[in-house]
Amino acid sequence: MIAGDLLQQFYNIADTLIVGKFIGSHALAAVGSAYSLMTFLTSVFLGLSMGAGVLFSIELGRENMQRLRSAIFHAFFLIIAITAVINSLLFLLADPLLYFLSVPDEIYDYMKAYLLIIFTGLIATSLYNFFACLLRAVGNSLIPLVFLGVSALMNVGLDLLFVPVFQWGIQGTAIATVIAQYISGIGISLYFLAKCRRFIPKAEERKFDAGVLWDILGLSSMTCVQQSCMNFGILLVQRLVDSFGTITMAAFAAGVKIDTFAYLPVQDFGNAFSIFISQNCGAGKVDRQRKGFRAATLISMTFSALISLLVVVFAGPLMRIFIRADEKAVLMSGIRYLRIEGAFYTGIGCLFLLYGFYRGIGRPGISVILTVVSLGTRVVLAYLLAPVIGETGIWMAVPIGWFLADVIGYGWYFLKKASWFPSMRSM
């Protein structure tokens, strides 16, 4: 899962790297701002897929194959239908969205041209995420990695062909991304149909079942709300960043790619932990949940601390991967971002773990609360501090929000664990 999502980041990282090196800071700022918008928009069906994956894991733990296949049928059509509606609305609301983000005039055309192409790949992204979550839920994390690896390499190759060679500009990076997304989405769908026949719903399981749909919505809706709240908060921060102009936007675009790549392993560790918890929850193995929580916390904190050290020490070289050496102002702004936010990755590592835990035990509403606390604190502090101390205030607000949510999440666990898991005597 970690390797798969690291590869998935190459979609946008390849765009960012090539745009920054071959087109310039204006195009880089546009791609970075577009990334925040697309992350928010795709969070809806990503959250639905993740929530449905919990139900898949629970039914697999119970060895109830008939209900598992029925859940797969209902979840697939629900997620595809929602994706189609969102996709249609995006083409109609492109200009209002750009206006909401306070996109500067000098990059408006860049960003709109990029987004109108990227929007066409949403269905492919939805297909990939659904089948990847399904395969991971039943214990197969290798195949999503294989398809994603192939498409990620294709994305990089097409980027290098369309931008430096064909001179298609920012549209070329968008076309390369969409082609790669369809390769992964269609490829993993065909694999599932050909190789996972025991999970394909039978005729009697392809009938509407309100109980199954309700279970999917119960687990998915809160995960969807959590993902949407998290990314809407990021979108509001992006709007504030945009108001500082192209230099800060470009620095933020590069910095976000670096720290997203840096803490992505702990995000996927949290998702894998959610599958572990939900399967053991379905099987009634309380002791494994207790031991898993303790071990996962230790692993996540240790890994996050190590990555923080590396990012703080190598902030300059990391920024120069994306930014040309002659753009000094952008480089300095990005280095400041990494050294403030990157020093505190343990906060986000533990938070991802808590998200996975509460989703896994069937209490996704708690994850929503933690998200609201984390992002709410970040947004409020960013808007309060930015007018006083500039962009540094935006960067400072991030880790404060993480750690406040961590305190609440772990506090809730220790307060409630006796009633949730009566046999627990320790962490």
Side-chain angles (χ1 to χ4, degrees), residues 244-256:
F244 277 82
T246 304
I247 290 175
T248 303
M249 288 177 69
F252 186 62
V256 164

Side-chain angles (χ1 to χ4, degrees), residues 289-319:
Q289 295 177 68
R290 175 183 61 81
K291 291 178 179 177
F293 189 90
R294 181 173 59 228
T297 297
L298 179 61
I299 292 170
S300 183
M301 292 184 71
T302 302
F303 179 85
S304 299
L306 177 60
I307 295 299
S308 285
L309 177 63
L310 293 174
V311 168
V312 170
V313 171
F314 296 104
L318 287 169
M319 285 300 300

Side-chain angles (χ1 to χ4, degrees), residues 33-34 37 93-104 107-113 115 242:
S33 189
L37 174 61
L93 301 174
D95 286 309
L97 285 170
L98 295 175
Y99 177 78
F100 170 77
L101 286 173
S102 302
V103 175
I107 69 166
Y108 190 95
D109 290 338
Y110 276 116
M111 188 166 169
K112 185 174 181 180
L115 282 174
D242 291 355

Side-chain angles (χ1 to χ4, degrees), residues 50-165:
M50 291 170 64
V54 172
L55 181 59
F56 301 156
S57 295
I58 290 173
E59 297 303 339
L60 186 65
R62 292 172 176 167
E63 299 182 352
N64 190 341
M65 297 302 295
Q66 183 175 358
R67 202 163 193 275
L68 171 59
R69 288 190 290 264
S70 179
I72 291 170
F73 171 76
H74 285 75
F76 176 78
F77 283 101
L78 173 67
I79 292 166
I80 293 301
I82 290 174
T83 304
V85 171
I86 292 174
N87 214 165
S88 301
L89 291 174
L90 288 176
F91 287 103
L92 297 174
L93 301 174
D95 286 309
L97 285 170
L98 295 175
Y99 177 78
F100 170 77
L101 286 173
S102 302
V103 175
D105 292 340
E106 61 266 30
I107 69 166
Y108 190 95
D109 290 338
Y110 276 116
M111 188 166 169
K112 185 174 181 180
Y114 181 81
L115 282 174
L116 288 177
I117 297 171
I118 288 293
F119 288 161
T120 63
L122 269 183
I123 290 290
T125 303
S126 186
L127 277 175
Y128 174 80
N129 282 316
F130 174 79
F131 284 108
C133 286
L134 169 55
L135 289 172
R136 289 166 182 162
V138 299
N140 186 347
S141 297
L142 176 62
I143 292 303
L145 173 62
V146 170
F147 282 106
L148 196 56
V150 171
S151 61
L153 291 173
M154 178 171 288
N155 184 44
V156 174
L158 291 175
D159 269 334
L160 292 171
L161 178 65
F162 294 162
V163 180
V165 179

